[in-house]
């Protein structure tokens, strides 16, 4: 991700004017932004620290370790512009320096101010902004969650913090840009590091506090927009067998010569094909490369530095799981930064072509054999436990685990074969291959699964393409 440097010791603030918050639930209200921000500010003799947060994309509605947040209905991907956030909640000393009084239940200059309702917080922010010339505000819920989960803001246990957002159910929209919810009700979002709460704006309670934010002008890098918003990854048009190393971890890519093939369920699938596997279509794919194995825990750790919830860093050769389509794209963006290459997810056609053996057109029911027990781990032979990659027989292209082990995301949105029209409801994305928890029918090379892009599960993984 792009990062914006701290400028020290003191910088002037340059206002870029007003921008509209980009969210389907947002009001028409505009917010002030700053081009640059100081790291420290002083009011009287009280000093406080602001940490700059680069523009980012993340799955909102989760804890720092990736588990679902208490009070969150789902995970949705968020893109946020850069901003700054106070490292700690507003202290009683700072509140007194600005407001001249102290409403807190237990007094102490270094303690967070509490027993302040939302309007009192907003009044404080307005006064502080006039004193400093800086457009301070309350953080949105998205800004608050990202900063706390990624170490830019220190959350104090037992405290609860106001955010700028009105309370509403987590949106079903899978992708939001700079979300800010402002509705005409008397409830706002109050957050802790593990919970999302609905609190009346007139509430004054012990341990109920807030922190400061400043919206900035840095936008998400173009590559993030291209991959996640536009869904248009670049192609490398490479076609060779190669071993690539990143941060000490090696992985193999397999050359796949392009050609024509019949996509969909042919006679080899018998009566097990679902309606969405037909009609059989003649498809053409270009030369490309595809991962010999599913992306492993070891490779994910080498690229991202940490693992999604439910993965064990000691099990380096297991496929990484609990990965959403969006999270796979984040991994690929980072991998491309580290390698200078143009990795991507395979298209659905590329995935099926490779699973069927490419030009060799094996016409097996599964990837590499008609007997699933030879080529993959599935519910009947695994007790739903995923296995290290490469534990079973490869297919004709020397690709492993394309039937069973973990479901694999493809780049494409789901649509019916032969139809150019995309579904009008929330888009669903293709997963292929079945998993260790799947019945054998789901592991067939033509079976299609369609899943919301933000969904995660202990059997959801992916493999790379070039």
């Amino acid at each position: 991700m792009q990062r914006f440097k701290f400028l020290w010791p003191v910088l002037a603030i340059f206002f870029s004017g007003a921008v509209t918050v980009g969210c389907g639930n947002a009001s028409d209200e505009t917010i002030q932004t700053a081009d640059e921000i100081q790291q420290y500010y002083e009011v009287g003799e009280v000093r406080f620290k602001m940490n700059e947060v680069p523009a980012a994309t993340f799955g909102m509605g989760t804890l720092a370790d990736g588990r679902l947040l208490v009070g969150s209905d789902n995970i949705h991907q968020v893109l946020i512009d850069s901003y700054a956030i106070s490292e700690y909640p507003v202290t009683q000393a700072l509140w007194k320096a600005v407001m001249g009084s102290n409403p807190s239940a237990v007094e102490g200059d270094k303690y967070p101010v509490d027993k302040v309702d939302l309007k009192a917080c907003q009044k404080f922010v307005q006064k502080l902004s006039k004193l400093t010339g800086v457009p301070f505000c309350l953080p949105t819920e998205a800004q608050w969650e990202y900063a706390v989960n990624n170490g830019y803001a220190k959350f104090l246990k037992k405290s609860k913090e106001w955010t700028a957002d009105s309370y509403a159910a987590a949106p079903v929209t899978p992708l939001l840009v700079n979300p800010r919810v402002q509705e005409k009700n008397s409830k706002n979002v109050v957050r802790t590091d593990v919970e999302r709460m609905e609190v009346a704006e007139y509430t004054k309670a012990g341990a109920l506090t807030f922190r400061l934010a400043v919206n900035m002008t840095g936008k998400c890098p173009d590559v993030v927009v291209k991959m996640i918003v536009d869904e248009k990854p670049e192609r490398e048009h490479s076609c060779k067998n190669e071993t690539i190393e990143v941060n000490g971890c090696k992985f193999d890519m397999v050359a796949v010569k392009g050609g024509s093939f019949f996509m969909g369920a042919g006679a080899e699938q018998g009566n097990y094909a679902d309606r969405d596997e037909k009609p059989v279509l003649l498809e053409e794919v270009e030369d490309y490369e595809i991962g010999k194995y599913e992306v492993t825990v070891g490779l994910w750790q080498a690229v991202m530095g940490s693992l999604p919830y439910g993965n064990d860093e000691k099990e380096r050769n297991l496929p990484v799981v609990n990965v959403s389509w969006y999270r796979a794209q984040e991994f690929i963006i980072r991998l491309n930064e580290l390698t200078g290459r143009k990795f991507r997810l395979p298209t659905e056609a590329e995935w099926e072509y490779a699973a069927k053996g490419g030009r060799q057109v094996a016409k097996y029911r599964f990837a590499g054999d008609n007997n699933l027990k030879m080529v993959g781990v599935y519910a009947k032979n695994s007790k739903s436990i995923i296995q290290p990659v490469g534990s079973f027989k490869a297919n004709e292209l020397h690709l492993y685990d394309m039937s069973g082990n973990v479901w694999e995301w493809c780049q494409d949105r789901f649509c019916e074969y032969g139809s150019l029209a995309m579904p009008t409801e929330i888009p669903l994305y293709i997963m292929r291959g079945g998993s260790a928890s799947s019945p054998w029918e789901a592991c067939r090379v033509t079976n299609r699964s369609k899943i919301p892009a933000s969904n995660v599960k202990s059997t959801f993984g992916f493999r790379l393409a070039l």
Side-chain angles (χ1 to χ4, degrees):
M1 289 292 178
Q2 178 183 356
R3 290 192 175 275
F4 302 91
K5 296 179 180 178
F6 287 128
L7 300 175
W8 175 255
V10 176
L11 289 169
I13 302 298
F14 299 94
F15 295 104
S16 65
V19 297
T20 301
V21 182
C23 171
N25 291 333
S27 72
D28 293 330
E29 181 183 343
T30 58
I31 56 174
Q32 294 294 314
T33 61
D35 287 330
E36 296 172 338
I37 191 80
Q38 293 173 205
Q39 191 174 14
Y40 289 93
Y41 288 93
E42 291 185 2
V43 178
E45 297 181 355
V46 181
R47 196 183 202 207
F48 64 97
K49 184 180 180 182
M50 299 293 293
N51 288 333
E52 213 168 332
V53 185
T57 181
F58 72 104
M60 186 176 173
T62 64
L63 309 182
D65 63 10
R67 288 177 297 164
L68 194 66
L69 178 75
V70 176
S72 176
D73 299 322
N74 56 58
I75 300 171
H76 45 280
Q77 194 72 13
V78 164
L79 275 71
I80 49 174
D81 295 340
S82 62
Y83 62 102
I85 194 164
S86 58
E87 188 164 69
Y88 291 99
V90 170
T91 64
Q92 294 179 28
L94 181 57
W95 181 278
K96 287 192 292 184
V98 174
M99 305 295 283
S101 60
N102 185 5
S104 302
V106 178
E107 293 191 15
D109 281 352
K110 293 184 179 180
Y111 294 167
V113 66
D114 64 0
K115 297 197 73 174
V116 286
D117 63 19
L118 183 62
K119 288 185 178 179
C121 296
Q122 293 168 336
K123 187 175 181 180
F124 170 91
V125 167
Q126 291 170 358
K127 284 194 172 185
L128 179 63
S129 297
K130 288 180 180 179
L131 286 171
T132 60
V134 179
F136 288 107
C137 59
L138 290 176
T140 65
E141 185 182 7
Q143 291 171 335
W144 192 98
E145 182 175 310
Y146 183 78
V148 169
N149 283 355
N150 290 277
Y152 295 101
K154 308 295 184 184
F155 178 74
L156 302 179
K157 296 298 181 184
K158 298 185 179 180
S159 63
K160 303 170 185 177
E161 299 187 23
W162 290 107
T163 72
D165 289 11
S166 302
Y167 186 89
V172 295
T173 305
L175 182 64
L176 300 172
V177 179
N178 294 321
R180 186 181 184 191
V181 179
Q182 289 192 297
E183 297 180 350
K184 292 182 178 180
N185 61 41
S186 59
K187 304 292 180 68
N188 256 58
V189 175
V190 166
R191 284 295 307 267
T192 75
D193 58 340
V194 297
E195 187 174 6
R196 179 177 194 259
M197 294 172 285
E198 179 182 9
V199 177
E201 63 182 25
Y202 51 78
T203 301
K204 299 179 181 179
L208 181 55
T209 185
F210 71 106
R211 70 179 68 226
L212 302 167
V214 176
N215 295 292
M216 301 185 69
T217 55
K219 304 294 183 183
C220 264
D222 289 343
V223 65
V224 175
V225 175
K226 183 177 293 185
M227 294 283 279
I228 292 180
V229 180
D230 298 339
E231 300 179 16
K232 294 180 179 178
E234 292 187 61
R235 294 184 67 96
E236 192 166 300
H237 304 288
S238 179
C239 185
K240 60 184 178 181
N241 296 321
E242 55 180 321
T243 298
I244 298 166
E245 183 171 348
V246 57
N247 288 338
C249 184
K250 295 180 179 180
F251 62 100
D252 296 321
M253 300 296 292
V254 174
V256 183
K257 283 290 185 181
S260 300
F261 79 109
F262 287 103
M263 186 172 179
E268 76 281 356
Q269 299 299 328
N271 296 321
Y272 297 102
D274 293 326
R275 185 182 63 83
D276 62 5
E277 298 173 42
K278 297 178 179 180
V280 174
L281 301 175
L282 183 63
E283 291 287 335
E284 181 85 21
V285 295
E286 302 176 18
D287 293 354
Y288 63 102
E289 295 176 25
I290 195 166
K292 186 174 186 178
Y293 307 107
E294 295 150 336
V295 171
T296 62
V297 166
L299 179 55
W300 184 286
Q301 180 82 29
V303 172
M304 303 296 280
S306 61
L307 291 167
Y309 176 72
N311 293 274
D312 186 347
E313 63 182 8
K314 296 177 183 178
E315 301 286 353
R316 294 180 55 81
N317 289 323
L318 286 180
V320 68
V321 294
N322 283 316
V323 177
S324 68
W325 185 92
Y326 290 121
R327 196 81 170 107
Q329 300 291 355
E330 290 180 50
F331 171 90
I332 290 168
I333 291 168
R334 179 61 179 151
L335 177 62
N336 289 345
E337 289 176 348
L338 291 171
T339 61
R341 304 294 295 270
K342 296 176 181 177
F343 290 99
R344 56 185 175 82
L345 290 176
T347 66
E348 185 181 16
E350 288 172 337
W351 191 97
E352 185 172 317
Y353 181 71
K356 286 181 171 179
R359 288 184 175 181
Q360 299 185 47
V361 194
K363 293 188 177 180
Y364 289 130
R365 184 169 288 172
F366 308 103
D369 208 293
N370 278 324
N371 184 355
L372 180 54
K373 292 180 180 179
M374 298 294 294
V375 294
V377 54
Y378 67 110
K380 192 172 181 179
N381 70 348
S382 72
K383 297 181 180 179
S384 298
I385 299 173
I386 62 174
Q387 300 296 318
V389 297
S391 296
F392 291 77
K393 174 186 167 184
N395 78 346
E396 298 74 25
L397 293 175
H398 306 290
L399 303 174
Y400 292 84
D401 302 305
M402 296 200 80
S403 288
N405 219 15
V406 297
W407 286 100
E408 300 179 16
W409 288 107
C410 294
Q411 177 65 31
D412 304 8
R413 294 188 182 193
F414 172 83
C415 65
E416 299 287 349
Y417 284 166
S419 172
L420 297 178
M422 291 290 183
T424 56
E425 66 270 15
I426 295 171
L428 301 174
Y429 291 72
I430 291 293
M431 298 196 88
R432 287 298 202 108
S435 77
S437 297
S438 300
W440 69 266
E441 308 97 284
C443 302
R444 295 176 300 104
V445 290
T446 60
N447 182 61
R448 310 173 77 201
S449 183
K450 45 188 184 292
I451 303 290
S454 57
N455 278 28
V456 298
K457 195 175 180 180
S458 60
T459 53
F460 287 6
F462 66 106
R463 76 176 66 220
L464 297 167
L466 270 174

